[in-house]
PDB file of all heavy atoms in Angstrom:
ATOM      1  N   GLU A   5      -0.616   4.450  -4.758  1.00  0.00           N
ATOM      2  CA  GLU A   5      -2.021   4.055  -4.838  1.00  0.00           C
ATOM      3  C   GLU A   5      -2.945   5.282  -4.745  1.00  0.00           C
ATOM      4  O   GLU A   5      -4.053   5.273  -5.138  1.00  0.00           O
ATOM      5  CB  GLU A   5      -2.413   3.056  -3.759  1.00  0.00           C
ATOM      6  CG  GLU A   5      -1.814   1.694  -4.026  1.00  0.00           C
ATOM      7  CD  GLU A   5      -2.301   0.658  -3.049  1.00  0.00           C
ATOM      8  OE1 GLU A   5      -3.341   0.832  -2.456  1.00  0.00           O
ATOM      9  OE2 GLU A   5      -1.591  -0.321  -2.895  1.00  0.00           O
ATOM     10  N   LEU A  43      -4.505  16.897  15.440  1.00  0.00           N
ATOM     11  CA  LEU A  43      -5.341  17.274  14.229  1.00  0.00           C
ATOM     12  C   LEU A  43      -6.821  16.988  14.578  1.00  0.00           C
ATOM     13  O   LEU A  43      -7.637  17.828  14.289  1.00  0.00           O
ATOM     14  CB  LEU A  43      -4.864  16.384  13.088  1.00  0.00           C
ATOM     15  CG  LEU A  43      -5.534  16.638  11.752  1.00  0.00           C
ATOM     16  CD1 LEU A  43      -4.525  16.440  10.603  1.00  0.00           C
ATOM     17  CD2 LEU A  43      -6.763  15.752  11.554  1.00  0.00           C
ATOM     18  N   ILE A 108      -9.836  10.432   6.897  1.00  0.00           N
ATOM     19  CA  ILE A 108     -10.221  11.302   8.027  1.00  0.00           C
ATOM     20  C   ILE A 108     -10.640  12.661   7.494  1.00  0.00           C
ATOM     21  O   ILE A 108     -11.661  13.263   7.940  1.00  0.00           O
ATOM     22  CB  ILE A 108      -9.096  11.414   9.052  1.00  0.00           C
ATOM     23  CG1 ILE A 108      -8.967  10.075   9.797  1.00  0.00           C
ATOM     24  CG2 ILE A 108      -9.303  12.598   9.998  1.00  0.00           C
ATOM     25  CD1 ILE A 108      -7.800   9.912  10.627  1.00  0.00           C
ATOM     26  N   ARG A 199     -55.830  34.257  77.106  1.00  0.00           N
ATOM     27  CA  ARG A 199     -56.912  34.938  77.911  1.00  0.00           C
ATOM     28  C   ARG A 199     -57.791  33.893  78.589  1.00  0.00           C
ATOM     29  O   ARG A 199     -58.372  34.124  79.621  1.00  0.00           O
ATOM     30  CB  ARG A 199     -57.675  35.852  77.056  1.00  0.00           C
ATOM     31  CG  ARG A 199     -57.015  37.210  76.929  1.00  0.00           C
ATOM     32  CD  ARG A 199     -57.942  38.176  76.186  1.00  0.00           C
ATOM     33  NE  ARG A 199     -57.236  38.607  74.970  1.00  0.00           N
ATOM     34  CZ  ARG A 199     -57.856  39.126  73.930  1.00  0.00           C
ATOM     35  NH1 ARG A 199     -59.131  39.188  73.902  1.00  0.00           N
ATOM     36  NH2 ARG A 199     -57.189  39.456  72.915  1.00  0.00           N
TER      37      ARG A 199
END
Side-chain angles (χ1 to χ4, degrees):
E5 289 186 23
L43 182 147
I108 287 170
R199 277 187 241 156

